[in-house]
Amino acid sequence: MSEPTEQPVDMNRKYVRLVERRPDGLVEFEFSISDPQIFVEMLLPEAAYEDFCRMNRVILLEGSRPDDGDGGDFNWTLHEATHQRFR
């Protein structure tokens, strides 16, 4: 049986997944480098978000994040926590 091969980290591949354009003018999104499954959640005003995406030459990811099947109690985002989990 062969060992799984790790993909090399590519610092030039940057991803953004739009989560929500909020009524207060902020854009909520996930930003990742090299691996879209490892991300930080960010909020920026609309103009700053557009600049951020342009300056980082991001790859825009469509749709919601795929479910990894874990479904554990600790597998959630801040967006999920504030909109559904702890209401």
Side-chain angles (χ1 to χ4, degrees):
M1 186 159 91
S2 65
E3 294 282 325
T5 58
E6 291 186 28
Q7 296 293 332
V9 174
D10 183 352
M11 299 299 287
N12 293 312
R13 261 191 353 236
K14 298 171 186 171
Y15 300 93
V16 161
R17 183 182 313 278
L18 178 65
V19 174
E20 179 181 17
R21 291 182 190 271
R22 298 172 17 160
D24 61 5
L26 294 175
V27 177
E28 187 174 349
F29 62 100
E30 299 169 353
F31 174 67
S32 55
I33 298 173
S34 187
D35 183 351
Q37 294 180 335
I38 302 170
F39 59 89
V40 295
E41 297 172 84
M42 297 179 68
L43 281 171
L44 288 174
E46 179 79 31
Y49 167 75
E50 298 297 335
D51 287 344
F52 179 88
C53 289
R54 187 182 66 254
M55 289 176 11
N56 283 289
R57 296 187 202 121
V58 301
I59 299 165
L60 294 173
L61 299 172
E62 299 291 326
S64 61
R65 191 172 11 89
D67 184 9
D68 65 2
D70 181 7
D73 286 340
F74 297 102
N75 187 15
W76 49 270
T77 64
L78 288 174
H79 179 82
E80 293 166 345
T82 58
H83 288 83
Q84 64 198 81
R85 216 173 242 274
F86 301 113
R87 290 207 147 228

